[in-house]
Amino acid sequence: PPGAEEFEVRAPATGDVLARLPISTPHDVRVAVDRARVAQTAWAAQPVRKRARVLLRFYDELLDHRDELLDLADTNVWRRIFH
C-alpha cells in the first residue's frame, strides 16, 4: 500500500539493491491467508483435468524462463548454478 514501510533486498555478492518490498503487517497477513483459503476452495472445486492443465502450463512457463530464473537464483545465493 502507498506509504507502507519497505525493506531492501540486496545481492549478497555486490550489495546492490535488487528490490524494495513492503513490510507486511499482521493485518496484511490475515487478509492474505483469508484470500488463500477462498482461492483454495475454488481451486479444489475444479475438475482434476483442469487443475492438471494449469499445473502443466505452469511447468512449461518455468522451463521457458529457466535461464532467467537460474540467473536470479545465482544473484541471490552468490554462487554459480550450472544451467
Side-chain angles (χ1 to χ4, degrees):
E5 282 189 70
E6 294 182 335
F7 70 97
E8 293 178 340
V9 178
R10 294 183 174 270
T14 64
D16 293 344
V17 175
L18 300 175
R20 288 182 177 79
L21 302 173
I23 297 173
S24 297
T25 66
H27 172 75
D28 296 333
V29 174
R30 282 191 301 276
V31 168
V33 169
D34 290 344
R35 289 180 181 171
R37 284 188 179 123
V38 170
Q40 192 282 327
T41 301
W43 173 256
Q46 298 299 311
V48 171
R49 287 182 191 267
K50 183 174 183 180
R51 287 184 279 162
R53 278 195 308 271
V54 170
L55 292 174
L56 288 171
R57 171 64 197 248
F58 178 68
Y59 175 74
D60 288 341
E61 289 294 324
L62 287 174
L63 291 180
D64 288 348
H65 297 280
R66 181 178 188 268
D67 289 338
E68 296 164 71
L69 293 167
L70 287 170
D71 288 343
L72 182 59
D74 288 346
T75 301
N76 190 45
V77 299
W78 194 13
R79 65 182 172 82
R80 193 76 189 138
I81 296 173
F82 297 100
H83 320 192

